[in-house]
Amino acid sequence: MVRKETCPVCKGNKVVAVTVNTGDRKHRTCPGCNGAGYQVKISGSYA
């Protein structure tokens, strides 16, 4: 079975805040879900 689960990195916001060298905070797309807001999980046994 395929399930969509909320991304644990961005918690569904699709972006994460990153602090750059100058001290400013910039928003970038989430590396955990590639900006989708969710991760696909495959569960169950497929034989």
Side-chain angles (χ1 to χ4, degrees), residues 21-46:
N21 291 341
T22 58
D24 294 333
R25 293 185 64 138
K26 296 197 175 192
H27 291 83
R28 295 190 179 169
T29 57
C30 177
C33 63
N34 293 327
Y38 62 88
Q39 293 179 341
V40 176
K41 297 287 184 175
I42 300 174
S43 62
S45 60
Y46 298 100

Side-chain angles (χ1 to χ4, degrees), residues 1-13 30 32-33 36-43:
M1 176 156 82
V2 177
R3 295 183 299 153
K4 291 182 182 178
E5 293 183 355
T6 303
C7 178
V9 179
C10 66
K11 305 203 177 27
N13 292 328
C30 177
C33 63
Y38 62 88
Q39 293 179 341
V40 176
K41 297 287 184 175
I42 300 174
S43 62

